[in-house]
């Protein structure tokens, strides 16, 4: 019995030690995970998982560790294990990450299933709305593909190489390549060396030469990456871990985050390295990008006011070198996911990487046009040449040569991230000219200085213009898009036109004729033309005044009240598609109904006369037995309000 008791105690003790050991390892892994030591955490979690230990929290962290290191095949594996457990209380974000991971390994059907579930759990999330709105997004990506020649940039190592900028005919980029130093340090998150900036001379076809270290003042013992340079080459902004003048900053969790720094060139040396005033120890700012005019700095951040995991922001650079208040680019660009690595070219296009907009998996590169008002056109995926199921980001293009660079960790590369160069053979946006002239509808006079506003199909302002001395206007517009155009001029009634830009045309012509607000009329004129009243609407074969007709009659009523001596003759006409006698009687009843409505609303009967003319005064060829369109018949069904006395 003692032996049995001893054996039992021994078994319990060993079991307890195993449980304690696993929990201790989990605690170590959790600490490494929370400190962004993802590679070490993966090893610990996986060893425990291989022993059959299951945990929602552990599977989350395993999936996340791979997801945030862009190893989507392994992320899909562990998120898959997570979804074998009870997911009733699982945060919706894991449905999205699992979908993204599945898409990265080309399991699109399963990915779509997870997105449907994500949509059910989080329908207000912009990523769910974008997925629902763009269910055929793969077709759109396909249409944008086949536009590039892509090849290895020739500067990659077996380590991480990414994030390019052009400076004085050089390519500047970040690299984690080993320089041979015994003191070279590795980052726990990726197990890669900390990155420094390197540069390579560019040939005429933008082929880089052998790279070398960029600058000893800029490079430190921590990460430097993603530089951007002013057009005169004397100012640079770059990303670095929170480290300056030998001091390392940390947030409340003792994590060293990322900041944007500025440096100036003096005597061919980079100096005056300073952090920007909107940097913080408690959030990251990174991946700066200057507008071509140098007046605006774009960047990525998770600062307060961020809509998702990271957003794109912009900040004004004042003439005295100070900065405005950072402004979120808004939900036209940002989602609840990650938006990062902005680039702005001299054609007012913003390129950026996102895992929130519909893509092929991981980060994809997207583009949007920046309108004059600072609004953004629809975001477009640049296509499957640049984008892959893995992470694709840090896109840069020279608008003159259409050559550029981007970074990807796609299969077939040399290292963790690789830089690729490209030639764009066909532009993403097909544009054409929308033009016309503004005239007076009656006199045909060309109207100069007319304000023209261009709206997209969501009625957001795209552009503004003013007609020239010849009444002409023009806009650059995108093929396939639908626009509204509003023309405004003092003393004229504002007019809106809607138009879809057809690919069948090289340019689109849209004249706009405006009517005077003050309508000058004389005896014999049709008062209805002042308000564009073509007919008073009745139900089919009836003479009751319909509600929508009452609005037009209110206009006639108001004019009669404002002009108490005015008299009108109300004339009702039909088309020919009934018998002559029927049309005559119907039009007579309708004329009388119109008169009765005006009398009922206070107009003296003596000021009104009326008659039904049936089909006796057709304005075109559409008489009996003549084949006509509905539009042609419509011209004959009209109401007239002829002024007989003033």
């Amino acid at each position: 019995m003692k032996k049995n008791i001893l054996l039992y105690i021994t078994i319990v003790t060993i079991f307890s030690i195993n449980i304690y050991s696993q929990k201790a390892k989990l605690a170590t892994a959790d600490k490494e995970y929370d400190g962004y030591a993802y590679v070490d955490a993966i090893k610990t979690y996986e060893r425990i998982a291989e022993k059959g230990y299951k945990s929602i929290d552990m599977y989350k962290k395993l999936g996340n560790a791979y997801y945030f290191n862009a190893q989507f095949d392994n992320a899909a594996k562990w998120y898959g294990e997570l979804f074998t457990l009870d997911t009733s209380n699982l945060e919706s974000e894991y449905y999205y990450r699992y979908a993204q991971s599945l898409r990265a390994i080309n399991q699109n059907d399963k990915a779509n299933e997870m997105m449907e579930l994500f949509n059910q759990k989080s329908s207000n999330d912009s990523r769910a709305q974008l997925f629902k709105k763009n269910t055929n997004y793969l077709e759109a990506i396909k249409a944008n593909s086949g536009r590039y020649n892509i090849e290895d940039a020739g500067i990659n190592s077996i380590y991480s190489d990414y994030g390019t900028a052009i400076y004085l005919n050089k390519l500047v980029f970040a690299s984690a390549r080993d320089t041979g130093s015994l003191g070279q340090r590795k980052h726990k998150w990726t197990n890669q060396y900390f990155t420094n900036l390197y540069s390579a001379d560019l040939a005429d076809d933008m082929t880089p030469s052998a790279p070398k270290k960029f600058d000893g003042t800029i490079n430190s013992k921590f990460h430097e990456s993603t530089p951007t340079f002013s057009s005169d080459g004397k100012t640079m902004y770059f990303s670095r871990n929170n480290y300056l003048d030998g001091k390392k900053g940390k947030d409340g969790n003792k994590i060293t985050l990322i900041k944007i720094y500025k440096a100036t060139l003096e005597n061919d040396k980079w100096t005056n390295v300073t952090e920007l005033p909107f940097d913080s120890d408690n959030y990251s700012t990174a991946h700066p990008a200057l507008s071509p005019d140098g007046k605006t700095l774009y960047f990525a951040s998770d600062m307060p006011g961020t809509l998702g995991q990271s957003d794109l922001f912009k900040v004004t650079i004042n003439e005295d070198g100070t900065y405005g208040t950072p402004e979120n680019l808004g939900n036209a660009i940002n989602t609840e996911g990650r938006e990062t690595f902005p680039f702005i070219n001299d054609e007012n296009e913003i390129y950026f990487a996102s895992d929130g907009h519909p893509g092929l998996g991981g980060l994809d590169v997207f583009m949007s046009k920046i309108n004059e008002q600072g609004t953004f056109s629809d975001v477009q995926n640049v296509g499957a040449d640049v984008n892959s199921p893995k992470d694709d980001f840090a896109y840069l293009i020279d608008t003159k040569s259409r050559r550029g660079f981007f970074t990807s960790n796609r299969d077939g590369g040399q290292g963790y991230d690789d830089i690729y160069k490209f030639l764009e053979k066909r532009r993403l946006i097909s544009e054409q000219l929308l033009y016309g002239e503004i005239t007076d509808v009656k006199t045909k006079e060309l109207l100069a200085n007319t304000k023209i506003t261009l709206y997209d199909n969501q009625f957001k302002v795209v552009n503004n213009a003013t007609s020239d001395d010849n009444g002409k206007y023009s806009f650059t517009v995108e093929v396939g898009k639908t626009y509204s155009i509003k023309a405004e001029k003092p003393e004229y009634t504002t007019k809106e036109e809607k138009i879809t830009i057809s690919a069948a045309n090289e340019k689109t012509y849209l004249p706009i004729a405006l009517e005077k607000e003050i309508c000058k009329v004389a005896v014999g004129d049709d008062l209805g033309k002042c308000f564009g009243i073509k007919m008073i609407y009745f139900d089919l074969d009836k003479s009751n005044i319909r509600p929508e007709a009452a609005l037009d009659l209110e206009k006639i009523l108001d004019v009669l009240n404002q002009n108490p001596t005015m008299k009108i003759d109300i004339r009702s006409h039909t088309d020919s598609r009934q018998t002559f006698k029927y049309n005559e009687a119907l039009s007579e009843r309708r004329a009388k109904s119109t008169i009765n409505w005006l009398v009922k609303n206070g107009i003296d009967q003596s000021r009104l006369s009326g008659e039904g003319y049936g089909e006796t005064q057709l304005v075109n060829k559409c008489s009996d037995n003549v084949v006509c369109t509905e539009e042609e018949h419509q011209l004959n069904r009209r109401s007239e309000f002829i002024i007989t006395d003033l």
Side-chain angles (χ1 to χ4, degrees):
M1 183 65 180
K2 286 183 179 180
K3 289 182 180 180
N4 289 338
I5 292 174
L6 183 60
L7 179 61
Y8 173 76
I9 293 173
T10 303
I11 291 172
V12 170
T13 303
I14 293 172
F15 181 74
S16 299
I17 291 171
N18 284 338
I19 291 294
Y20 176 79
S21 175
Q22 288 182 353
K23 288 184 176 179
K25 289 178 181 177
L26 271 178
T28 301
D30 285 348
K31 184 177 180 180
E32 291 166 347
Y33 176 91
D34 292 336
Y36 299 98
Y38 284 176
V39 171
D40 293 335
I42 288 172
K43 293 175 182 176
T44 304
Y45 285 132
E46 286 191 321
R47 282 193 293 267
I48 295 170
E50 286 168 3
K51 293 180 179 180
Y53 191 87
K54 296 185 178 184
S55 160
I56 286 178
D57 186 60
M58 181 181 70
Y59 287 148
K60 282 182 183 178
K61 289 178 176 177
L62 263 174
N64 289 346
Y66 280 116
Y67 182 82
F68 290 117
N69 274 298
Q71 297 180 43
F72 297 112
D73 50 351
N74 285 320
K77 171 186 173 182
W78 293 112
Y79 285 144
E81 292 292 339
L82 172 64
F83 277 86
T84 64
L85 304 180
D86 180 10
T87 58
S88 56
N89 295 316
L90 188 64
E91 299 93 327
S92 61
E93 187 65 26
Y94 288 93
Y95 290 81
Y96 186 80
R97 291 178 189 171
Y98 189 25
Q100 287 288 92
S101 302
L102 289 166
R103 206 173 304 289
I105 57 175
N106 293 314
Q107 293 188 23
N108 287 315
D109 290 343
K110 181 67 174 176
N112 288 340
E113 289 179 21
M114 298 309 298
M115 282 301 297
E116 291 290 352
L117 293 171
F118 175 69
N119 189 30
Q120 292 172 22
K121 291 181 71 71
S122 190
S123 59
N124 291 328
D125 191 299
S126 64
R127 293 168 296 175
Q129 294 169 357
L130 285 167
F131 174 75
K132 190 174 181 180
K133 179 182 176 182
N134 300 281
T135 54
N136 295 322
Y137 71 92
L138 289 174
E139 290 299 316
I141 293 174
K142 183 178 179 180
N144 291 341
S145 302
R147 302 185 302 107
Y148 294 92
N149 290 333
I150 293 174
E151 57 183 307
D152 187 291
I155 53 174
N156 293 305
S157 67
I158 62 173
Y159 300 97
S160 183
D161 303 284
Y162 70 96
T164 53
I166 294 177
Y167 164 66
L168 300 181
N169 208 35
K170 297 177 185 292
L171 188 72
V172 184
F173 63 98
S175 178
R177 63 191 62 199
D178 183 7
T179 60
S181 169
L182 294 175
Q184 192 79 343
R185 301 166 66 247
K186 291 186 178 181
H187 194 292
K188 288 184 179 181
W189 187 345
T190 61
N191 207 28
Q192 294 271 318
Y193 294 116
F194 280 82
T195 59
N196 281 162
L197 295 182
Y198 286 74
S199 69
D201 293 332
L202 288 173
D204 291 342
D205 65 351
M206 294 183 72
T207 298
S209 65
K212 57 184 179 181
K213 281 278 186 79
F214 176 66
D215 185 274
T217 304
I218 301 301
N219 288 327
S220 70
K221 62 182 180 179
F222 291 101
H223 282 300
E224 282 81 33
S225 68
T226 52
T228 186
F229 299 87
S230 61
S231 58
D232 63 6
K234 295 181 179 180
T235 303
M236 73 175 292
Y237 297 86
F238 63 97
S239 303
R240 180 196 278 172
N241 283 115
N242 186 355
Y243 179 78
L244 184 63
D245 298 331
K247 297 179 181 179
K248 183 171 67 171
K250 295 182 179 182
D251 69 2
N253 296 317
K254 297 185 178 181
I255 302 297
T256 299
L257 301 176
I258 304 172
K259 290 184 176 181
I260 297 173
Y261 293 86
K262 175 186 176 182
T264 54
L265 188 67
E266 296 180 5
N267 300 319
D268 295 325
K269 296 287 185 182
W270 289 104
T271 185
N272 300 323
V273 177
T274 57
E275 66 177 76
L276 299 190
F278 48 84
D279 286 340
S280 171
D281 291 346
N282 296 312
Y283 56 77
S284 287
T285 54
H287 313 315
L290 273 171
S291 61
D293 63 7
K295 296 180 179 180
T296 307
L297 185 71
Y298 293 79
F299 61 95
S301 181
D302 59 352
M303 65 171 57
T306 300
L307 304 177
Q309 297 165 42
S310 67
D311 282 3
L312 298 186
F313 291 78
K314 67 178 181 179
V315 65
T316 300
I317 303 173
N318 301 316
E319 290 186 6
D320 62 359
T322 60
Y323 300 86
T325 301
E327 178 184 345
N328 191 297
L329 296 194
N331 57 16
I333 297 294
N334 294 315
T335 69
E336 282 80 355
R338 295 178 292 169
E339 278 70 46
T340 186
F341 292 97
F343 170 76
I344 294 83
N345 66 19
D346 56 7
E347 294 181 345
N348 287 325
E349 295 171 337
I350 179 170
Y351 291 85
F352 62 97
S354 171
D355 65 2
H357 293 273
L360 297 176
L363 291 170
D364 273 20
V365 176
F366 296 86
M367 191 279 282
S368 176
K369 192 83 171 179
I370 306 174
N371 303 313
E372 288 188 6
Q373 293 71 31
T375 58
F376 298 93
S377 65
D378 291 343
V379 170
Q380 294 192 66
N381 188 298
V382 302
D385 312 293
V386 167
N387 290 321
S388 71
K390 299 299 179 66
D391 275 341
D392 308 285
F393 56 98
Y395 182 100
L396 173 157
I397 188 170
D398 172 64
T399 57
K400 306 300 184 293
S401 66
R402 309 310 295 178
R403 296 181 183 276
F405 300 88
F406 71 95
T407 304
S408 179
N409 67 343
R410 64 188 58 194
D411 295 337
Q414 295 187 43
Y416 188 78
D417 292 309
D418 289 299
I419 297 170
Y420 294 84
K421 65 177 183 177
F422 66 77
L423 170 65
E424 185 187 52
K425 301 177 293 182
R426 173 171 59 87
R427 297 180 69 107
L428 177 60
I429 292 180
S430 180
E431 296 179 330
Q432 65 172 246
L433 191 69
L434 171 64
Y435 72 106
E437 59 269 333
I438 314 300
T439 59
D440 184 296
V441 71
K442 284 188 175 181
T443 67
K444 310 303 180 187
E445 174 191 359
L446 293 167
L447 300 178
N449 299 316
T450 303
K451 181 182 177 183
I452 315 295
T453 308
L454 182 71
Y455 299 89
D456 64 15
N457 61 354
Q458 301 297 316
F459 221 71
K460 293 179 181 177
V461 175
V462 175
N463 211 339
N464 287 307
T466 301
S467 61
D468 63 16
D469 291 343
N470 295 315
K472 298 184 182 299
Y473 76 92
S474 65
F475 294 109
T476 299
V477 291
E478 295 179 32
V479 171
K481 294 287 184 71
T482 298
Y483 296 92
S484 293
I485 298 173
K486 182 168 69 175
E488 301 172 88
K489 187 174 178 62
E491 299 185 4
Y492 283 85
T493 301
T494 298
K495 188 172 184 179
E496 289 181 359
E497 297 279 4
K498 194 172 185 179
I499 190 166
T500 299
I501 308 303
S502 172
N505 305 320
E506 293 184 0
K507 52 186 178 179
T508 298
Y509 177 62
L510 180 64
I512 301 176
L514 299 182
E515 294 182 287
K516 283 275 192 179
E517 282 184 342
I518 300 173
C519 185
K520 295 180 180 179
V521 293
V523 172
D525 288 343
D526 182 357
L527 181 60
K529 288 184 178 179
C530 283
F531 304 102
I533 300 172
K534 294 183 175 66
M535 63 181 293
I536 297 299
Y537 287 88
F538 300 86
D539 287 325
L540 184 64
D541 294 337
K542 294 183 180 179
S543 56
N544 310 19
I545 299 292
R546 284 167 56 174
E548 56 266 43
L551 176 61
D552 280 337
L553 286 177
E554 286 284 357
K555 300 171 186 176
I556 303 297
L557 176 65
D558 182 73
V559 174
L560 291 172
N561 284 330
Q562 298 302 316
N563 298 273
T565 61
M566 180 184 287
K567 296 181 180 180
I568 59 173
D569 183 45
I570 298 164
R571 302 174 184 179
S572 178
H573 303 268
T574 69
D575 60 37
S576 62
R577 293 182 297 180
Q578 271 286 1
T579 67
F580 182 91
K581 186 175 181 180
Y582 179 89
N583 284 333
E584 186 176 37
L586 178 62
S587 63
E588 185 71 27
R589 291 197 304 273
R590 288 179 170 178
K592 287 182 178 179
S593 292
T594 305
I595 291 171
N596 291 339
W597 188 94
L598 291 168
V599 170
K600 182 180 178 181
N601 284 275
I603 300 301
D604 192 289
Q605 176 78 53
S606 64
R607 298 173 63 193
L608 306 171
S609 60
E611 186 176 349
Y613 290 83
E615 58 183 276
T616 62
Q617 295 186 8
L618 301 177
V619 296
N620 55 26
K621 63 178 181 180
C622 300
S623 57
D624 292 342
N625 302 319
V626 176
V627 176
C628 287
T629 65
E630 181 59 37
E631 289 76 14
E632 289 173 319
H633 283 301
Q634 175 69 61
L635 293 174
N636 290 314
R637 297 196 303 273
R638 64 196 191 279
S639 299
E640 296 173 328
F641 301 86
I642 306 301
I643 299 170
T644 59
D645 195 359
L646 288 173

